[in-house]
Amino acid sequence: MFVVFLKSIITFLVVFFVIRLMGKRQIGEMQPFELVITLIIAEVACIPMNDPYIPLYYGLIPIFTLATLHIVLSFISRKSVKVRKILSGNSLIVIDKAGINYENMQKMNMNIDDLIEAVRTAGYVDFSQIAYAIFETNGQLCVVEKEEQQDEEQKPQKTLLPLELIVDGKYNSHNLALSGTDQSEILRVLDDNKLKLSDILYADVRQDGNAYFAPKRKPAFCCAINISGGENW
């Protein structure tokens, strides 16, 4: 029992020292290779700690090896742009001036629900107010708002909450009923823009009837649609 107790203390101190040596990044700020190394260190540290018959160096040697690997890779990535791109990847624009970038979302293996959640977590609920949204290599989402020119005497606009109508080519029946929007109204907009329902990655509507449509491979657009339930949400 005393051996396990002593090995636990030593392992803790070693891991603590190694993590401090690797830097003060938060989990959400780690590059992919840094996260992998950190997870492996946590795993190998438990091997000698849980079994009194396994020598302590069975865990310490891999920990110091991984820490050294992290330092070497970090140094090389600082010196070489090519290595940095291989280890960390590139930032990808998921929303641009044309709307939602479907190709870049596919590269990230991300669906529209993931994007909606990320945008809301960043503090935005309205896609039509976003000029650019960029996923950094560490997974953080950077959002740039559209610039709106307003007169000094213009009254503040009422806050509107978009209601999802179409997600990944499928209707949200509950939200259609809640907004009082008929499917024929949606089909009218699609026909006017030579689109099919399966072409729409995301669409929503606000309480004033202003709708936002984001096709998969065409520029996003806004238009007015007939609704009867704007007071319901």
Side-chain angles (χ1 to χ4, degrees):
M1 183 64 70
F2 178 75
V3 174
V4 174
F5 175 76
L6 186 60
K7 289 169 68 175
S8 299
I9 293 178
I10 296 174
T11 303
F12 167 77
L13 294 175
V14 171
V15 173
F16 177 77
F17 170 77
V18 167
I19 296 299
R20 288 295 304 271
L21 190 65
M22 290 171 56
K24 294 186 177 181
R25 290 180 184 266
Q26 298 179 5
I27 295 297
E29 298 175 348
M30 287 184 176
Q31 298 297 335
F33 79 95
E34 294 176 320
L35 181 60
V36 170
I37 290 176
T38 302
L39 293 175
I40 296 177
I41 287 177
E43 183 67 24
V44 300
C46 297
I47 295 176
M49 200 164 50
N50 294 331
D51 193 336
Y53 299 103
I54 297 179
L56 185 59
Y57 64 83
Y58 272 46
L60 299 185
I61 292 178
I63 290 174
F64 281 112
T65 301
L66 291 169
T68 303
L69 178 63
H70 173 271
I71 294 172
V72 172
L73 291 177
S74 298
F75 176 79
I76 296 175
S77 65
R78 288 199 303 268
K79 300 296 182 180
S80 173
V81 176
K82 291 183 179 180
V83 173
R84 187 159 59 245
K85 288 184 177 180
I86 293 174
L87 293 176
S88 303
N90 296 313
S91 299
L92 288 177
I93 299 176
V94 290
I95 299 177
D96 53 28
K97 60 182 180 181
I100 300 174
N101 192 311
Y102 184 61
E103 284 73 19
N104 283 347
M105 287 182 58
Q106 288 181 313
K107 290 179 182 178
M108 298 183 64
N109 196 25
M110 170 182 286
N111 58 48
I112 185 62
D113 291 320
D114 296 329
L115 180 60
I116 294 172
E117 181 179 350
V119 168
R120 287 177 178 172
T121 302
Y124 299 87
V125 294
D126 196 337
F127 280 93
S128 65
Q129 296 178 350
I130 298 176
Y132 294 95
I134 307 167
F135 266 104
E136 305 296 350
T137 56
N138 59 10
Q140 297 289 333
L141 180 66
C142 174
V143 177
V144 180
E145 293 185 26
K146 290 181 178 178
E147 294 183 0
E148 296 184 358
Q149 297 180 351
Q150 296 183 353
D151 297 331
E152 294 182 358
E153 297 181 356
Q154 185 176 0
K155 295 181 180 179
Q157 295 183 350
K158 181 180 178 181
T159 301
L160 301 176
L161 179 65
L163 190 67
E164 300 164 15
L165 299 180
I166 302 174
V167 173
D168 204 13
K170 295 181 176 61
Y171 286 118
N172 187 317
S173 301
H174 173 75
N175 288 349
L176 283 172
L178 184 64
S179 63
T181 305
D182 192 83
Q183 290 188 13
S184 60
E185 180 71 5
I186 303 296
L187 293 176
R188 177 189 64 80
V189 174
L190 298 182
D191 290 338
D192 291 343
N193 292 273
K194 298 180 179 179
L195 293 168
K196 297 182 296 184
L197 180 62
S198 58
D199 295 328
I200 303 301
L201 185 62
Y202 174 83
D204 61 33
V205 67
R206 290 143 199 79
Q207 288 93 336
D208 60 357
N210 188 33
Y212 172 85
F213 288 82
K216 292 180 179 179
R217 294 180 175 86
K218 290 185 178 181
F221 60 91
C222 294
C223 65
I225 63 174
N226 294 320
I227 63 172
S228 59
E231 72 281 356
N232 293 334
W233 83 94

